[in-house]
Amino acid sequence: MRKDKKWALLAQHIDRSMIREAIAYELSRPYFDGVPQIRFCEVILNDIYYGVYVLSEQPTRKRLHLTKTKNTADASGSYLLYFSRPQEADFTADVKLPSFEAHYPFQIKYPDEEDMDESRQRWLTTRFTDMVAAINDTTSESYREYIDEQSFIDFQLTNEFAHNTDAFFCSAYIYKDADDVDSTFKMHLWDMDHAFGMGNEPGYSYHNTWVYSKRSVFGFAGWWINLMKHPSYSEGLHDRWQEYRQGGYSDEHIEFVIDSLYNMLVGSGAIKRNNRAWKLWDEKGTHGNYPPHVKYLSDSYEDEVQYIKDWAKLRLQWMDEQLK
């Protein structure tokens, strides 16, 4: 993979197939800049086998080719922000409009936290306030001054196809380049293992619901709830889905990606070794140690992957009907 200093070693505890995130990334790669490259690996520490993990690139300023901010007094430079849970946030943008109030918690990934002085925080809060006001104003197309529409559409479609339960809530990146290069915000994918039919909360494993519509309008899901009220955005989403289906999201290519990942992990013996370590399924095919937040209780690794395939086909059929 490309040389860099920042990496993430991810345990696939929630996802017993261990390929849900990899599927989402591989399918979205032709449509997104900077989709993390990942590699499966097996971890052995002090002669103890810990199973299958994923080594993943992390989004950074360099990986996203953002302009380095040289003038620290210029608040309109590059930003890379991670949507966080409130208790984990470095900074919260408090957006207050006449009929609307929202609080967007972020971890600051760029610039360095010590450079996020009050002037930068005020600038970001003002930019978010103006952006949200423009998105909420369905009589105008001024939202395009603040967001990269294609990026927001691709983010929505990628997360919706996977039915990522973390989408539009947390665990995603938003970034922008310096204003004199590109002043619009773009979205970036991250944390997509809780997807493809997972989730034991009512509705979150369904193939026939929109994820964004289940979130609060006062969170950042509200951006998409209101964007969908703009005819130009909605039409662009429909057209983009047709491109997806004729390209990387065709039935045949999705099955190819799933089969390729399955064959790699099974053929290498990694799945067998991982199951010996963690007892995910016992010898009789009954459930072993089962992670939380799951809907379908598979009887084997093969059954788990087949569930993803069957669920994805239903999801495609439903989205085709909604976006025809």
Side-chain angles (χ1 to χ4, degrees):
M1 293 192 285
R2 294 171 290 185
K3 181 179 178 180
D4 206 278
K5 294 181 180 180
K6 294 188 177 181
W7 304 87
L9 187 63
L10 306 173
Q12 302 300 289
H13 169 63
I14 289 178
D15 175 18
R16 294 214 299 178
S17 79
M18 289 172 276
I19 62 173
R20 281 175 163 88
E21 191 161 56
I23 295 168
Y25 285 171
E26 288 306 309
L27 294 178
S28 66
R29 205 172 299 285
Y31 307 100
F32 260 96
D33 291 332
V35 175
Q37 293 282 347
I38 65 173
R39 297 291 186 274
F40 288 95
C41 58
E42 293 174 85
V43 174
I44 301 171
L45 180 63
N46 296 333
D47 295 325
I48 300 174
Y49 179 84
Y50 284 92
V52 176
Y53 282 68
V54 167
L55 181 68
S56 175
E57 293 179 335
Q58 287 183 302
T60 63
R61 180 192 67 80
K62 288 184 178 179
R63 284 186 173 130
L64 295 173
H65 308 293
L66 299 179
T67 305
K68 186 175 183 179
T69 302
K70 296 179 180 179
N71 180 7
T72 56
D74 181 12
S76 65
S78 300
Y79 290 90
L80 175 59
L81 310 172
Y82 176 71
F83 282 104
S84 172
R85 289 177 171 81
Q87 65 270 22
E88 301 167 349
D90 303 322
F91 160 69
T92 300
D94 297 317
V95 171
K96 298 178 181 180
L97 300 173
S99 59
F100 183 94
E101 182 174 338
H103 309 280
Y104 305 121
F106 298 109
Q107 291 178 19
I108 308 298
K109 301 301 181 180
Y110 187 82
D112 292 336
E113 189 176 352
E114 58 266 24
D115 293 329
M116 279 297 296
D117 56 19
E118 289 186 11
S119 65
R120 285 183 181 277
Q121 294 184 28
R122 284 196 303 271
W123 187 92
L124 265 180
T125 298
T126 299
R127 179 63 66 93
F128 275 114
T129 300
D130 294 343
M131 180 184 75
V132 174
I135 290 174
N136 290 355
D137 182 5
T138 56
T139 66
S140 167
E141 302 299 302
S142 61
Y143 69 89
R144 287 173 165 168
E145 299 174 19
Y146 300 95
I147 71 169
D148 183 301
E149 187 173 53
Q150 193 68 71
S151 175
F152 274 60
I153 285 174
D154 287 331
F155 181 85
Q156 182 175 351
L157 287 175
T158 300
N159 280 286
E160 285 293 356
F161 168 64
H163 211 283
N164 179 16
T165 60
D166 286 328
F168 316 107
F169 162 60
C170 66
S171 294
Y173 286 84
I174 186 169
Y175 66 96
K176 65 171 289 293
D177 212 327
D179 268 6
D180 58 359
V181 178
D182 185 352
S183 64
T184 61
F185 283 103
K186 297 180 176 67
M187 298 300 302
H188 191 278
L189 302 175
W190 188 251
D191 190 13
M192 298 192 67
D193 59 342
H194 205 167
F196 295 105
M198 290 184 68
N200 55 12
E201 294 180 48
Y204 283 108
S205 64
Y206 296 175
H207 67 271
N208 57 352
T209 58
W210 294 122
V211 180
Y212 79 90
S213 66
K214 294 181 67 61
R215 297 299 185 187
S216 169
V217 68
F218 300 107
F220 78 101
W223 301 354
W224 281 270
I225 290 171
N226 287 300
L227 280 169
M228 288 298 290
K229 298 175 183 176
H230 290 267
S232 59
Y233 182 90
S234 179
E235 290 169 11
L237 185 89
H238 282 68
D239 292 343
R240 187 64 160 170
W241 180 245
Q242 302 310 313
E243 291 181 39
Y244 275 32
R245 293 293 278 136
Q246 294 167 21
Y249 282 74
S250 68
D251 290 26
E252 297 78 14
H253 187 248
I254 291 171
E255 185 161 2
F256 169 78
V257 168
I258 296 173
D259 285 343
S260 297
L261 293 166
Y262 170 89
N263 290 333
M264 177 185 62
L265 290 173
V266 171
S268 65
I271 292 301
K272 186 177 290 185
R273 289 187 290 274
N274 188 78
N275 192 50
R276 278 202 303 264
W278 296 109
K279 302 293 188 296
L280 300 183
W281 297 276
D282 66 21
E283 293 78 3
K284 299 178 182 179
T286 54
H287 314 304
N289 293 325
Y290 220 95
H293 313 306
V294 294
K295 179 70 173 179
Y296 180 72
L297 301 179
S298 56
D299 294 325
S300 64
Y301 185 74
E302 292 75 13
D303 186 33
E304 182 78 18
V305 175
Q306 187 61 49
Y307 170 73
I308 295 174
K309 284 185 176 184
D310 294 341
W311 185 93
K313 288 178 182 177
L314 293 173
R315 184 64 171 166
L316 289 169
Q317 292 170 6
W318 186 80
M319 287 185 66
D320 285 345
E321 184 63 28
Q322 303 302 309
L323 301 176
K324 61 185 178 180

